[in-house]
Amino acid sequence: MDTTNFIRMMPKIELHAHLNGSLCTKSIEELCEELYGVNSNEKVLLSKELVFDGGNLDQCFLKFRFMHELTATKKGLQLATELAIRDFAKDNVIYLELRTTPKKNSEMSKEEYVKNVLEAIERTMKIESIHVSLLLSIDRSKSVAEAEETVNIALQLKNTYKDIISGIDFSGNPKLGNFMHFIPVLEKARKNDLKLALHCAEIHNPAEIDQMIKFGMERCGHGTFLSELQLNEIYRRNIAIECCLTSNVKCSTVKCYDDHHFKHIFNDKKAPVILCTDDCGVFDTTLSNEFVLAKNTFNLTKNDLLQLSLNAVEFAFVHEHFKHDLKQRIRHYFKIQTEPESKN
Ligand code: IMP
Ligand code: ZN
């Protein structure tokens, strides 16, 4: 089997995927047809609205508005959730952590938004071979009161959906909002057993990065602008770094794939690294594609691919027995696929 197929068939773990950024073009077309009954030409035009060809972070954030319109109804939101999960399952993702920012509109409250996503997750897990957890996202460009509401909803629904709701994500435009203001809310989440995945060091902001590392987190989203000292601290605190190659290059926070911080952090064992897509719809990628890119750009061996997969399991927001099961499935795949070969 060639490497690309090996990677496509490989059981994969996706830990950093924003719901409204994670619909592939075909699924957006299906969603548009279901919601608006549009003809095929219009569908193609609509689906292209979401894809981001490249530019800066601000331009990228504008892209989400299109998807937010499509998921502003119960029907749209549930279908989008189903389609996004189906796309990951098709790519042989066996465990997925989706994250989304609860949104209020004329049709639903924030709590109803989350319940709709949860219902769709439960329904889709019965059909597809994939386990899905949900992180609720705090949008840093919004108020602390909104962030507190998000954490309260997670805590309220955690008992009913204890195997699905697993943590809190801190995201949104990194140029906006002040991290320090959100500390009490994030502390509340942590005290109540919600795990934390924070977008950290997505842009160059050393003071904020120090504050975030000091506060602590289980996983650091992006970690692009970490200094050596900060990386040492990340390592000491056993924080994993979620690397999103295509996302960073298309948003121009990293110049090119060769220059991606993945290389230094993974090769020099600076911290545990996990490969993720971020927004596979917006960036027109898949997790398989990210693995192929990483393999080709950084000359990774099959052992490296195994290590990356096991890192993802280790830092997933799930119980130890489930981690054990996931690791076994991954190891089994590598064993049967690589047995005839002596190395790599
Ligand atoms: P949603 O939370 O399901 O609506 O997913 C889209 C949202 O995720 C965006 O509006 C942003 O708030 C957030 N997001 C997606 N990609 C990024 C990123 O690269 N950095 C920070 N926030 C992001
Ligand atoms: Zn992200």
Side-chain angles (χ1 to χ4, degrees):
M1 201 190 305
D2 68 24
T3 315
T4 304
N5 272 326
F6 177 88
I7 287 172
R8 296 223 182 285
M9 306 283 290
M10 188 172 93
K12 285 174 288 291
I13 311 292
E14 169 67 82
L15 300 185
H16 186 146
H18 299 269
L19 171 60
N20 278 287
S22 294
L23 246 70
C24 76
T25 310
K26 229 174 147 285
S27 294
I28 293 168
E29 287 177 22
E30 200 175 322
L31 186 61
C32 291
E33 181 168 3
E34 195 57 44
L35 296 180
Y36 311 131
V38 292
N39 69 38
S40 48
N41 272 348
E42 283 173 300
K43 274 192 292 183
V44 173
L45 285 176
L46 281 169
S47 64
K48 284 200 176 129
E49 286 279 329
L50 186 71
V51 176
F52 181 59
D53 288 331
N56 60 35
L57 270 173
D58 294 321
Q59 290 160 337
C60 172
F61 276 98
L62 292 175
K63 285 286 173 184
F64 293 108
R65 289 194 187 160
F66 167 72
M67 203 51 210
H68 289 156
E69 275 174 37
L70 294 181
T71 53
T73 61
K74 175 178 174 172
K75 185 178 175 185
L77 179 59
Q78 289 213 6
L79 185 56
T81 307
E82 281 177 39
L83 291 169
I85 298 170
R86 191 191 66 186
D87 289 342
F88 281 108
K90 265 197 208 152
D91 192 33
N92 286 315
V93 170
I94 56 170
Y95 174 73
L96 163 67
E97 276 176 23
L98 261 187
R99 45 182 91 186
T100 194
T101 322
K103 294 164 200 74
K104 182 171 107 180
N105 56 43
S106 56
E107 194 164 309
M108 47 190 158
S109 66
K110 287 189 177 184
E111 188 180 333
E112 283 163 341
Y113 176 98
V114 179
K115 281 183 172 167
N116 278 319
V117 173
L118 288 163
E119 269 176 40
I121 288 176
E122 283 195 320
R123 207 170 41 244
T124 316
M125 275 201 284
K126 289 186 183 137
I127 306 165
E128 305 285 350
S129 310
I130 185 168
H131 188 91
V132 185
S133 292
L134 182 67
L135 276 64
L136 296 192
S137 302
I138 289 175
D139 184 342
R140 59 179 294 157
S141 70
K142 302 274 164 55
S143 69
V144 174
E146 288 204 46
E148 180 149 29
E149 199 184 344
T150 296
V151 169
N152 288 341
I153 292 170
L155 295 177
Q156 217 170 297
L157 295 175
K158 196 161 74 90
N159 290 332
T160 318
Y161 296 93
K162 58 175 173 302
D163 288 333
I164 303 185
I165 294 188
S166 60
I168 295 291
D169 157 54
F170 183 73
S171 55
N173 191 332
K175 293 179 193 158
L176 306 174
N178 181 339
F179 171 71
M180 292 300 271
H181 297 165
F182 293 93
I183 284 185
V185 174
L186 291 166
E187 192 65 64
K188 180 176 181 178
R190 177 150 66 192
K191 278 202 178 116
N192 286 283
D193 291 332
L194 286 166
K195 306 276 190 209
L196 299 179
L198 311 183
H199 282 62
C200 168
E202 191 174 4
I203 58 171
H204 183 67
N205 187 348
E208 182 185 88
I209 301 169
D210 281 339
Q211 290 156 5
M212 284 186 163
I213 297 173
K214 186 165 173 236
F215 174 73
M217 65 198 95
E218 272 72 34
R219 303 197 311 249
C220 159
H222 299 297
T224 315
F225 292 91
L226 292 166
S227 68
E228 283 304 302
L229 267 178
Q230 287 163 339
L231 267 174
N232 289 345
E233 195 54 21
I234 289 256
Y235 182 80
R236 201 181 67 77
R237 290 172 177 257
N238 195 31
I239 297 169
I241 300 180
E242 303 163 346
C243 281
C244 313
L245 305 180
T246 302
S247 163
N248 296 155
V249 170
K250 287 203 173 170
C251 289
S252 310
T253 53
V254 170
K255 225 187 299 154
C256 61
Y257 292 108
D258 281 326
D259 283 357
H260 199 279
H261 47 291
F262 173 98
K263 182 155 108 188
H264 173 52
I265 301 174
F266 186 73
N267 284 351
D268 302 338
K269 299 190 172 33
K270 287 286 170 182
V273 176
I274 302 164
L275 271 182
C276 310
T277 54
D278 203 12
D279 299 285
C280 57
V282 173
F283 301 123
D284 193 19
T285 187
T286 59
L287 188 54
S288 289
N289 196 38
E290 296 301 299
F291 268 92
V292 172
L293 251 175
K295 174 164 191 331
N296 293 340
T297 312
F298 309 111
N299 282 322
L300 303 184
T301 63
K302 281 190 179 157
N303 254 340
D304 293 332
L305 301 181
L306 175 63
Q307 186 57 56
L308 285 165
S309 303
L310 296 178
N311 284 352
V313 177
E314 197 47 49
F315 286 88
F317 295 162
V318 290
H319 294 298
E320 290 304 317
H321 62 266
F322 190 45
K323 284 187 189 177
H324 179 75
D325 178 44
L326 290 170
K327 281 182 185 170
Q328 268 195 328
R329 287 176 68 183
I330 292 167
R331 284 206 174 96
H332 177 72
Y333 177 80
F334 275 80
K335 187 162 183 283
I336 57 164
Q337 293 299 333
T338 52
E339 238 157 25
E341 300 172 19
S342 54
K343 251 189 173 178
N344 291 351

